[in-house]
Amino acid sequence: MSLYTLPLESPDATLAVAGGKGANLARLAQAGLPVPGGFLLTTAAYRTYVAHNGLREWILAQVEPLAGAAGTALPASLQSASTRIRTRFGEGEMPASLRQPLLHAYQTLGSPPVAVRSSATAEDLPDLSFAGQQDTFLNVRGADALLAAVVACWSSLWTARAIGYRARNHIPQDEVALAVVVQQMIPSQASGVLFTANPLTGQRDETVIDAVLGLGEALVAGQVEPDSYLVDAQNRRIRRKTLGAKAIAIHGLPQGGTETVAADAATRQAIPDEVILRLADLGQQAAALYGIPQDVEWAWANEQLYLLQSRAITSLFPLPARLGADEPLRVLVSFGAVQGMLDPITPLGQDALCTLFAGGGGLLGYPTTPTAQRAMFSAGERLWINFTPVIRHPMGRRMMRAAFPQIEPGGARTIDGLLSDPALTPGKSGFPAPLRRAMLRRLPGMLGRVLLTVLRPAARRKRAHRVLEQYVAAYEGRFAGITSLTEWVDTFADMLYQVPLRLIPGVLPVVVAGIGSLQQLKGLAAGVPDAPDPLELMRGLPHNVTTEMDLALWATAARIREVGEGDWFEKMPASTLAAAYLQNQMPPAVQQAIAPFLRQYGMRGLAEIDLGRPRWRENPTPIMQTLQSYLQINDANMAPDMVFRRGAEYAESQIAPLVAAIRRQRGWLVAQFARRAAHLVREVAGLRELPKYIIVRLMGLARVALLDQGARLTAQGILHAPDDLTFLHFAELRALAAGDRQDWIALVAQRREAYVREKRRRQVPRVLLSDGRAFYDGVGAGADSETLLTGSPVSPGVVEGTVRVVFDPHAAGLQPGEILVCPGTDPAWTPLFLAAGGLVMEVGGMMTHGSVVAREYGIPAVVGVHEATSRLQTGDRVRVDGTTGQVEKVAG
């Protein structure tokens, strides 16, 4: 047609040219699906109109003051800006260069009544729907009405809702444009929306259809109660029909526009069963075309179905690509929830963790590769552990019920509710032959090492450290000598495969002896009058690498104060301090105080289990922030080392009364066993953090060598930045090393965009089923009140304080004594614990990192609290009871 108009089915109707709605409709039309005829007015037309009327700079001047608020501007401010902008649009002139091709396309269509729909370049995207933010005009008749409707559509790019939504999602206001879809008006007998997956449960084999009489605007505007039909899409069967009142209907008028009329249709279906099934079939075709579940607007007129719009259902959590629709039901548990790290994971980080699991499979008699293993899957740029084999085994089911609540109580409650599902019925009680052989080969040695730990705990603890240090030293030498990317991939993959073979036999028996002794003590103390809580024995626990790190950082703060630089350090921005340290430009005494800590612990960082995340030695800003927080602790009694020492003394003092109480109830022999168990807990339970610490140290060595290779490729122009390599998979690294010269910069940019998009996701399921069902609820979901939140108690004690909600420890701003409320924690968060008065987390369990460290510091902690970070606000006053699991809002 022209620069400004395109046929609706044109292959040139891309997102940039036709906007989201237009591009999607073009794709439906190209696939032969029933789309009303029409044409597209391209984004070039919008830009020409804006330029002709001198609107661009003026519009940006109206919205720039609101953009800085990141979508937090008051509704009145947004509405005022929108009104000004839309008024100026309406006063503008349509140049002939636009008017003539628009009217020509309309005449070519036959000048019928049309629907005029807005189609923005930032709408109907896979992660952002922008539904309902721009305007649609129905039953538009005649050239003058069409021209007015087009200008009104253009101006609707600047509705208050659209301006605020773009600001909240960090979409630049000056980069959006709007196309217009002009289609023949369908005189609908009935219309509505269709979801090709159940939007409430996520179930992919269910189609949900809402239907009203007449045009669908009454449904979109929430003016009418529709019929709702639930269809089994796979078996083409209607499972449920719920008839709505359908008390009104909207119809087109002969002179243009629409009218709303009363309807008496509560007892009859809007569409017959045959049409329901035909509509569900069309929905499945649309979903197959796009490859993801769709939200479809439809109309029915003269026995013909039409698709008016199709976009992704953005509320659904994606499913693993490697799980086929025809596979049996799978139960997947969030690896991030177990780790206390809910962020997405880089592609190379995912491959690394899958390789670790593959190595663990070899230990259990199932040698496999990272791509073939079925223990871990990727979805939503995150990893998911396949718990199905455990659930479907009678013994595994019993073990899971006993152990999983200690790791992730919210997810444990969900899985407990799924155990009655017929698709998860336990199978045979025996073990497969490969697993039996592996158990016979390895279990006696493991049990023997547990027994040796019970007999000689200190010696076994020291031996575990010695063996692992030798292992780390060996790979330190190997990574230091790497000269090519191929050599790096081979070395890294070999290391990951070998880690389970070293860590599990070397450390697990020692950890099992300590944690098992704690569980035995809890059992012996249960119901015993006046018996101290065995969890008190975990206070001030020695030999924990994470608490040792935190106390080393406190000692660093104390050294800065000793050399007289505390005031200077506190006043400087943390980012400035970090830059000065990296450039060796701090005062020498401060530089020398910090250097030993970063030499020893610089390989750690936020979300450190992901190889792709920066380490403290690359960006020490969070360390500077924590040091500043420590320097605000002026009360010697509240100094973390003193608090830790008092905790250790208190824990030791509880052994005698615990043993005495058990002796009075259970006798001398059991009391002697309890005494030995208590000392064993104090001696070796601290090794709980050691396996991950060793893995992170190894990954730190690998990351240094990888960034060296990345720097070389960046200098050659093959990559944009050294850490681009972390956004590639193993196979792609091998291809790059072999000389494949595809556009690696573009591929990495695409992966980074997906990562950032997923990082914006507000909620991540704790449990995900392969049929699409997703479960988000924490421990107290459905039972809590406005002032009382319930979770799982993991560190005893009661504290009252002011809430500080933190999503990123790099920008925590935590003040001494505040209650830290966060989604979850990994070891990079734990330096904050030394200043925190209490801890509340959305995920985690008794044995996760944050809980272990909180107990050691004597900080009351509650985990698994449903939506804690949204139900509590910074500044709230709360009482945290780490013994009962209750978090109560109190008057300030």
Side-chain angles (χ1 to χ4, degrees):
M1 282 189 176
S2 74
L3 171 66
Y4 299 126
T5 59
L6 287 174
L8 188 60
E9 66 278 7
S10 171
D12 296 325
T14 62
L15 175 66
V17 170
K21 187 182 288 95
N24 286 351
L25 280 169
R27 191 168 178 184
L28 291 174
Q30 292 161 21
L33 291 168
V35 175
F39 64 90
L40 301 167
L41 191 63
T42 67
T43 53
Y46 168 85
R47 293 189 174 96
T48 297
Y49 183 87
V50 168
H52 180 79
N53 291 283
L55 292 175
R56 183 178 183 276
E57 298 304 324
W58 181 84
I59 289 173
L60 293 179
Q62 307 304 305
V63 298
E64 279 177 358
L66 306 174
T72 62
L74 292 174
S77 301
L78 293 170
Q79 186 58 56
S80 177
S82 173
T83 300
R84 292 194 301 272
I85 294 170
R86 299 197 72 176
T87 298
R88 284 285 294 268
F89 259 93
E91 294 170 348
E93 177 190 41
M94 175 82 75
S97 60
L98 290 180
R99 184 172 60 253
Q100 290 173 359
L102 169 59
L103 295 181
H104 176 72
Y106 180 51
Q107 291 164 2
T108 302
L109 193 62
S111 302
V114 291
V116 182
R117 303 176 187 274
S118 305
S119 179
T121 54
E123 72 169 358
D124 293 351
L125 305 178
D127 61 318
L128 298 168
S129 75
F130 287 74
Q133 291 186 14
Q134 280 84 46
D135 290 344
T136 291
F137 299 91
L138 301 177
N139 199 30
V140 176
R141 294 172 180 257
D144 289 343
L146 175 61
L147 291 172
V150 166
V151 174
C153 278
W154 283 336
S155 76
S156 73
L157 184 63
W158 302 99
T159 63
R161 183 182 173 195
I163 296 169
Y165 191 85
R166 289 194 293 266
R168 283 194 300 276
N169 288 283
H170 308 289
I171 296 170
Q173 303 281 2
D174 62 343
E175 292 183 6
V176 292
L178 191 132
V180 177
V181 180
V182 180
Q183 290 179 284
Q184 290 179 324
M185 187 68 196
I186 302 300
S188 306
Q189 297 166 249
S191 54
V193 296
L194 172 154
F195 299 94
T196 65
N198 192 319
L200 297 180
T201 66
Q203 200 154 336
R204 300 307 203 263
D205 62 355
E206 291 183 346
T207 293
V208 177
I209 300 171
D210 282 355
V212 298
L213 300 178
L215 303 176
E217 295 309 295
L219 175 59
V220 173
Q223 298 174 338
V224 63
E225 180 189 2
D227 287 353
S228 183
Y229 316 125
L230 182 66
V231 181
D232 179 342
Q234 287 185 338
N235 298 309
R236 211 169 180 271
R237 178 174 59 88
I238 301 173
R239 289 182 179 172
R240 186 178 68 243
K241 293 186 287 187
T242 304
L243 301 189
K246 302 185 294 297
I248 63 171
I250 298 179
H251 298 285
L253 292 169
Q255 68 271 27
T258 61
E259 66 173 349
T260 301
V261 299
D264 183 14
T267 59
R268 65 185 176 91
Q269 292 179 202
I271 52 177
D273 288 359
E274 177 197 353
V275 175
I276 293 173
L277 294 175
R278 282 167 48 199
L279 186 55
D281 291 342
L282 284 175
Q284 291 303 310
Q285 291 178 51
L289 176 66
Y290 291 100
I292 52 176
Q294 294 291 297
D295 167 359
V296 180
E297 292 183 18
W298 58 271
W300 183 51
N302 303 317
E303 305 301 316
Q304 173 69 45
L305 283 167
Y306 298 91
L307 303 187
L308 308 179
Q309 184 173 327
S310 186
R311 56 176 170 255
I313 307 175
T314 56
S315 60
L316 297 181
F317 197 86
L319 293 177
R322 290 200 297 128
L323 280 179
D326 56 343
E327 289 194 37
L329 186 66
R330 297 284 184 263
V331 179
L332 309 175
V333 173
S334 167
F335 175 79
V338 172
Q339 282 291 314
M341 192 281 288
L342 300 178
D343 282 356
I345 300 176
T346 58
L348 189 57
Q350 293 179 35
D351 281 6
L353 292 167
C354 287
T355 305
L356 274 173
F357 267 67
L363 193 69
L364 297 176
Y366 294 94
T368 184
T369 65
T371 53
Q373 58 85 28
R374 305 282 290 177
M376 189 173 271
F377 293 89
S378 174
E381 304 301 322
R382 294 167 175 85
L383 291 174
W384 302 83
I385 307 169
N386 181 10
F387 262 61
T388 318
V390 177
I391 291 172
R392 298 203 63 201
H393 192 280
M395 183 181 295
R397 181 177 284 215
R398 289 193 297 271
M399 292 173 63
M400 185 204 66
R401 274 182 151 163
F404 197 48
Q406 307 295 315
I407 301 170
E408 217 293 280
R413 290 178 71 246
T414 294
I415 290 179
D416 201 51
L418 293 170
L419 295 182
S420 59
D421 191 312
L424 300 173
T425 302
K428 296 180 180 179
S429 59
F431 294 104
L435 182 56
R436 286 201 306 270
R437 288 194 293 269
M439 290 171 64
L440 288 172
R441 185 169 63 254
R442 300 188 185 279
L443 195 55
M446 296 279 282
L447 292 175
R449 285 187 282 273
V450 171
L451 179 59
L452 285 173
T453 302
V454 172
L455 297 175
R456 302 180 60 198
R460 297 301 295 181
R461 172 179 55 77
K462 293 175 183 177
R463 184 181 187 280
H465 272 284
R466 186 171 61 253
V467 169
L468 293 179
E469 286 297 330
Q470 292 171 352
Y471 182 61
V472 170
Y475 275 99
E476 187 173 20
R478 289 183 62 180
F479 278 116
I482 282 176
T483 58
S484 70
L485 186 57
T486 299
E487 187 181 359
W488 183 90
V489 175
D490 291 341
T491 303
F492 188 53
D494 174 71
M495 181 198 81
L496 294 170
Y497 272 113
Q498 295 298 321
V499 160
L501 297 175
R502 297 284 185 154
L503 286 186
I504 293 177
V507 181
L508 185 61
V510 183
V511 174
V512 165
I515 302 304
S517 296
L518 177 64
Q519 297 302 319
Q520 289 173 331
L521 281 173
K522 289 172 68 176
L524 292 176
V528 175
D530 301 323
D533 186 343
L535 283 179
E536 300 285 12
L537 300 182
M538 302 293 282
R539 291 196 181 191
L541 196 65
H543 315 306
N544 184 324
V545 289
T546 301
T547 54
E548 289 172 354
M549 174 189 74
D550 297 343
L551 291 171
L553 188 56
W554 165 252
T556 301
R559 180 59 183 156
I560 292 172
R561 182 179 284 133
E562 286 173 6
V563 298
E565 299 287 359
D567 290 343
W568 168 83
F569 197 94
E570 284 188 70
K571 292 175 183 176
M572 296 291 289
S575 58
T576 302
L577 291 171
Y581 176 82
L582 292 175
Q583 296 164 16
N584 199 26
Q585 292 179 353
M586 281 186 161
V590 178
Q591 190 88 19
Q592 292 165 15
I594 297 173
F597 177 85
L598 285 175
R599 274 198 300 271
Q600 185 168 1
Y601 297 108
M603 76 295 181
R604 308 209 78 160
L606 182 62
E608 61 192 8
I609 199 68
D610 178 3
L611 181 72
R613 297 293 288 265
R615 310 289 143 158
W616 286 336
R617 63 185 165 214
E618 299 167 44
N619 178 15
T621 300
I623 295 303
M624 305 305 167
Q625 290 171 327
T626 305
L627 287 169
Q628 289 176 325
S629 177
Y630 287 176
L631 288 169
Q632 295 177 40
I633 302 175
N634 296 312
D635 184 347
N637 289 321
M638 296 304 296
D641 55 347
M642 293 300 298
V643 172
F644 188 80
R645 186 176 303 122
R646 286 199 302 270
E649 292 170 353
Y650 177 79
E652 294 287 351
S653 74
Q654 294 302 290
I655 295 177
L658 175 62
V659 172
I662 291 174
R663 180 174 182 175
R664 287 192 298 270
Q665 183 86 6
R666 306 191 185 280
W668 178 85
L669 186 61
V670 174
Q672 294 309 303
F673 175 82
R675 185 188 304 277
R676 187 171 191 88
H679 287 293
L680 189 63
V681 167
R682 296 292 299 166
E683 185 64 48
V684 299
L687 267 65
R688 157 69 178 78
E689 297 286 296
L690 184 60
K692 183 178 180 182
Y693 176 70
I694 294 299
I695 292 172
V696 169
R697 285 180 63 187
L698 291 167
M699 284 190 172
L701 297 173
R703 184 173 167 90
V704 170
L706 179 69
L707 293 180
D708 285 345
Q709 295 300 313
R712 176 177 59 81
L713 293 167
T714 300
Q716 296 172 11
I718 297 171
L719 299 177
H720 180 71
D723 69 342
D724 281 359
L725 291 175
T726 65
F727 285 87
L728 301 177
H729 291 285
F730 273 150
E732 292 165 338
L733 291 179
R734 292 187 186 280
L736 173 58
D740 187 328
R741 287 297 180 258
Q742 68 165 292
D743 191 343
W744 297 107
I745 291 177
L747 177 60
V748 169
Q750 178 185 340
R751 298 267 174 82
R752 286 187 185 274
E753 182 181 347
Y755 181 91
V756 171
R757 182 173 68 238
E758 276 299 327
K759 209 168 188 308
R760 289 199 300 259
R761 189 180 291 276
R762 294 181 179 178
Q763 280 194 305
V764 178
R766 298 166 188 268
V767 177
L768 184 65
L769 303 190
S770 58
D771 64 7
R773 284 178 283 171
F775 301 87
Y776 298 85
D777 289 352
V779 172
D784 291 347
S785 69
E786 186 176 341
T787 59
L788 184 65
L789 290 70
T790 307
S792 180
V794 295
S795 182
V798 179
V799 65
E800 188 174 309
T802 302
V803 164
R804 174 74 63 174
V805 178
V806 178
F807 294 95
D808 181 355
H810 292 188
L814 186 74
Q815 301 300 306
E818 288 185 324
I819 308 300
L820 174 61
V821 178
C822 55
T825 64
D826 67 1
W829 287 73
T830 60
L832 297 178
F833 291 14
L834 289 175
L839 173 67
V840 178
M841 296 193 297
E842 292 181 336
V843 298
M846 181 69 72
M847 298 315 300
T848 48
H849 304 285
S851 304
V852 171
V853 177
R855 284 194 297 272
E856 294 181 16
Y857 292 159
I859 301 171
V862 179
V863 303
V865 179
H866 183 63
E867 297 181 350
T869 57
S870 58
R871 296 163 64 200
L872 295 174
Q873 305 293 321
T874 295
D876 286 350
R877 189 81 180 170
V878 296
R879 182 181 296 111
V880 178
D881 191 329
T883 304
T884 65
Q886 292 185 332
V887 180
E888 183 181 5
K889 294 184 182 180
V890 297

